[in-house]
Amino acid sequence: MRSNVIGDAITNFSETNDTSNSRVLHQLMEVISIIKHTLQQTFDIFFSKEKYNSTLLEFYITSFQKTFLIPSKLSHGNETPSQPAITRLFSPSSNVHLIVRYLPESIQEYLPELQPTPTLTSENVQNLILSWLIQVQQMLKEKVPGTLASIQNQAELIQVRSKLWKKLDETENKKKTDWQTMVQTLLDKPYSMWDNLFRDAFNDRFKLMIDNSLEKLSSQPESVVWPFVNDLLKSQQLKNNFPLTVNIWSGANSKHQSTFVLPSFSSSETIQVFKKSLMETANDRTEFLYKCQKVFDSYLSDIRKDVQTHLDDFGHEGFHIKSDSAMIKTYFQENCFLSIQKYIANIKTLIEKVGELNEDKSKYEPSIFLGRLARNIANLSKELPKALLLTANTTSAFELHSSINKDVKYPVILKELMNVYHQAHTLWIHWLKDEFAQKLRFMLTNTKWNDRCAAISVWESKYFRIFQLLVVLFISKIDIEEDIKLPIQSTNDVVKSLFYICEEIQHINSTMLDQVY
């Protein structure tokens, strides 16, 4: 019956205005109270001899024998019959004897036999209460996770846990308490309700919340970044006029963002805005890139700060707080590392997806955009090293900065992010090389090398090998003999082809050098 009460307490709750953590705390407190009272009452009935110099069960049996079990004719010490024994179970003021006399004689004269077989021993009671506790433990293992599921962040769940610890602290962490003596006598061993009933459920919930949060983080390339690249109104089509770079100077004909604005006066606030604009321009962080990285950093910061509450000082060392906090920290660091790797893998998947949508050069701009997002996270994200290190709030900035490169996971993540950046430009580089090779091949085959060609007026045989290597690099199918001499002076078509390459390089604004990690 008490098991059913515990099941009802943990699953059913009244509709109130209480918050979810208050309701969960109330349910768990009820469960603790029921278990405590059950163990205490079992101990008082079968083991404790403080009050009556005998157990409560022995006291009631003795009292029972002196009252109810005395035959009616002996109750007055003579042969004069008294009221039936069954009437002694009720208060005399109820006048139940007036009704009992109409009952069958077998009921009026009924007396139970108090000779149980086999004999009830303390070992029997211990086995029964241990079996009941195992049953309760299995039930709570199934039901408590569902109860804790209504709490969605680490801080609130830690608050509920701390209040449970406060209720259990007096009975489980203090030495030689009446509760510990009672449990030792009742179960023949120490027993912790936190360790056996709640600890695993709370730790599993902590880890599940970390998993769910990091899963949302790793899916951001598809849920957050992809809508900036793909035209959702036209399925599987890239957006037109995709803003790939930040224009250095604003102008009337500028289609995209222009953030580099010179300050009009020398106020400190204006100077700071100018420096910020300069940094954004230097890093090619367009409005779209800024939004994508901000979503990444903000969400990672929220996760980190939430998990960081496990590292706060709780004022005591009971309930395995240090080992559990260290376990949660390690679990978060390992899974955060895996989540960032999954984020990078999803960026790579989008780059491949972009390459399958179009055949013209427009597909390379979103690809480079995705690569630059990876580079900006590697170079500019302040949350990434903090999350991988996960230190307490009291850690100094100098200590945090000096420990960044000590974590082996951080350089690995930076390297993978920069590999994505390079991979995103590889397609564009191959395309540009093929474009130049095609233009150069067309120029060489269609230019008339005669007196009307202005470039033929300059002949430099010593530069022939350099020109030959240039031709072989871009047009590997053309065989050139050593004794052929060509003019080294560039024609207009060659200049136009080279200028086209410069335009494309300027178009993607590829001016940044890679940081060495």
Side-chain angles (χ1 to χ4, degrees):
M1 180 178 292
R2 299 208 180 194
S3 298
N4 294 334
V5 174
I6 291 175
D8 292 340
I10 202 67
T11 55
N12 300 329
F13 59 92
S14 58
E15 295 293 338
T16 63
N17 294 326
D18 293 340
T19 59
S20 59
N21 55 339
S22 298
R23 173 176 55 80
V24 170
L25 178 63
H26 176 74
Q27 289 176 282
L28 298 181
M29 290 287 195
E30 285 291 318
V31 172
I32 292 175
S33 179
I34 294 170
I35 295 175
K36 276 189 172 182
H37 282 88
T38 300
L39 296 180
Q40 185 66 55
Q41 290 167 3
T42 303
F43 176 77
D44 291 340
I45 293 173
F46 294 101
F47 293 93
S48 178
K49 296 184 179 181
E50 293 182 2
K51 188 173 183 180
Y52 302 103
N53 294 323
S54 63
T55 64
L56 195 59
L57 180 61
E58 293 172 346
F59 173 79
Y60 280 124
I61 291 177
T62 302
S63 177
F64 204 49
Q65 290 173 336
K66 292 179 180 180
T67 55
F68 180 69
L69 295 183
I70 300 177
S72 299
K73 63 181 180 179
L74 299 178
S75 61
H76 294 291
N78 52 39
E79 297 297 327
T80 304
S82 65
Q83 299 295 335
I86 194 172
T87 60
R88 300 172 201 159
L89 299 176
F90 303 93
S91 173
S93 61
S94 64
N95 293 325
V96 72
H97 64 280
L98 299 177
I99 302 175
V100 170
R101 63 185 180 178
Y102 295 105
L103 296 176
E105 186 176 355
S106 59
I107 296 178
Q108 295 185 44
E109 298 180 355
Y110 172 74
L111 294 175
E113 295 182 2
L114 294 181
Q115 294 181 355
T117 303
T119 304
L120 183 64
T121 63
S122 59
E123 289 77 9
N124 298 138
V125 177
Q126 287 176 350
N127 292 334
L128 289 172
I129 198 67
L130 282 172
S131 177
W132 180 76
L133 286 174
I134 292 174
Q135 179 185 356
V136 171
Q137 181 177 345
Q138 184 62 34
M139 178 175 59
L140 293 179
K141 183 179 180 181
E142 297 174 357
K143 296 182 180 296
V144 170
T147 303
L148 299 180
S150 60
I151 301 178
Q152 299 299 321
N153 62 71
Q154 306 274 339
E156 289 187 0
L157 190 56
I158 288 175
Q159 185 179 9
V160 172
R161 185 186 66 176
S162 298
K163 292 181 179 179
L164 280 183
W165 284 352
K166 186 176 181 180
K167 183 175 180 63
L168 295 172
D169 189 57
E170 296 180 356
T171 59
E172 297 196 8
N173 285 329
K174 294 183 178 180
K175 296 182 178 180
K176 296 182 180 181
T177 61
D178 293 339
W179 169 263
Q180 293 174 349
T181 303
M182 180 267 293
V183 170
Q184 182 68 37
T185 303
L186 184 60
L187 305 178
D188 199 25
K189 63 179 181 179
Y191 185 82
S192 169
M193 281 191 284
W194 171 254
D195 291 348
N196 291 278
L197 304 179
F198 302 110
R199 183 186 179 190
D200 289 342
F202 271 79
N203 286 339
D204 290 343
R205 180 58 187 168
F206 285 133
K207 291 190 285 188
L208 182 60
M209 286 192 290
I210 291 174
D211 292 340
N212 293 338
S213 299
L214 292 178
E215 179 64 27
K216 293 180 180 179
L217 178 69
S218 62
S219 64
Q220 281 188 3
E222 186 69 31
S223 61
V224 177
V225 180
W226 182 244
F228 285 104
V229 176
N230 187 41
D231 193 341
L232 299 180
L233 298 178
K234 299 177 181 179
S235 179
Q236 301 300 314
Q237 289 191 17
L238 299 176
K239 290 185 176 180
N240 296 324
N241 296 322
F242 190 79
L244 185 61
T245 62
V246 176
N247 293 329
I248 296 180
W249 306 111
S250 60
N253 297 325
S254 177
K255 296 181 180 179
H256 304 307
Q257 173 191 10
S258 299
T259 61
F260 191 84
V261 181
L262 290 176
S264 56
F265 53 92
S266 59
S267 68
S268 58
E269 182 178 354
T270 306
I271 294 298
Q272 291 300 322
V273 172
F274 171 73
K275 289 181 178 180
K276 182 179 179 181
S277 300
L278 181 60
M279 185 187 71
E280 298 294 329
T281 305
N283 288 284
D284 274 340
R285 191 156 66 169
T286 63
E287 181 181 0
F288 285 1
L289 284 174
Y290 175 79
K291 289 181 178 179
C292 291
Q293 184 184 345
K294 184 178 181 181
V295 172
F296 174 85
D297 285 343
S298 299
Y299 194 73
L300 185 57
S301 175
D302 292 341
I303 301 174
R304 175 186 60 80
K305 290 178 180 178
D306 196 25
V307 178
Q308 207 169 41
T309 53
H310 286 276
L311 307 181
D312 295 340
D313 184 10
F314 293 96
H316 59 81
E317 298 181 359
F319 302 107
H320 313 282
I321 181 173
K322 288 188 176 181
S323 59
D324 285 353
S325 297
M327 180 272 297
I328 293 296
K329 175 182 177 180
T330 301
Y331 184 85
F332 172 77
Q333 288 176 314
E334 293 176 352
N335 286 271
C336 182
F337 175 74
L338 296 176
S339 177
I340 301 300
Q341 285 187 318
K342 189 175 180 181
Y343 183 98
I344 296 172
N346 288 335
I347 289 287
K348 292 180 180 179
T349 301
L350 292 186
I351 292 175
E352 296 173 357
K353 190 175 181 179
V354 165
E356 298 172 356
L357 294 181
N358 293 66
E359 295 299 332
D360 56 12
K361 71 174 184 178
S362 63
K363 68 180 180 182
Y364 302 116
E365 295 181 359
S367 176
I368 294 174
F369 169 84
L370 296 171
R372 289 183 179 176
L373 173 61
R375 182 194 65 186
N376 284 349
I377 292 176
N379 293 342
L380 305 177
S381 176
K382 296 181 180 179
E383 286 300 324
L384 183 58
K386 290 181 181 179
L388 293 176
L389 288 174
L390 192 66
T391 55
N393 289 323
T394 56
T395 304
S396 65
F398 175 78
E399 182 181 352
L400 176 63
H401 181 74
S402 62
S403 301
I404 286 178
N405 290 324
K406 293 181 181 179
D407 184 34
V408 295
K409 299 184 183 68
Y410 184 59
V412 172
I413 289 295
L414 295 184
K415 184 177 180 180
E416 292 185 9
L417 287 168
M418 294 307 299
N419 286 340
V420 173
Y421 171 68
H422 294 140
Q423 176 187 342
H425 285 73
T426 300
L427 295 175
W428 172 80
I429 291 173
H430 288 312
W431 167 80
L432 186 59
K433 178 178 74 70
D434 294 338
E435 281 285 303
F436 178 74
Q438 182 180 358
K439 292 179 180 297
L440 185 60
R441 185 183 298 110
F442 180 82
M443 182 272 297
L444 292 176
T445 56
N446 290 275
T447 299
K448 294 181 179 181
W449 302 98
N450 51 30
D451 295 339
R452 296 183 180 180
C453 179
I456 205 172
S457 60
V458 180
W459 294 81
E460 292 290 345
S461 59
K462 64 180 180 179
Y463 293 119
F464 169 72
R465 185 58 182 169
I466 299 177
F467 186 78
Q468 179 189 25
L469 293 176
L470 183 63
V471 173
V472 172
L473 176 63
F474 290 100
I475 315 173
S476 57
K477 295 181 181 181
I478 297 180
D479 296 328
I480 301 179
E481 298 179 2
E482 291 290 342
D483 57 347
I484 299 179
K485 294 183 180 181
L486 292 177
I488 198 61
Q489 177 67 32
S490 300
T491 64
N492 290 336
D493 291 332
V494 172
V495 173
K496 290 179 180 179
S497 299
L498 293 175
F499 185 73
Y500 176 75
I501 294 178
C502 295
E503 283 184 317
E504 290 300 322
I505 294 176
Q506 178 63 27
H507 175 66
I508 67 168
N509 199 17
S510 182
T511 57
M512 287 195 63
L513 296 176
D514 290 347
Q515 181 176 343
V516 179
Y517 297 105

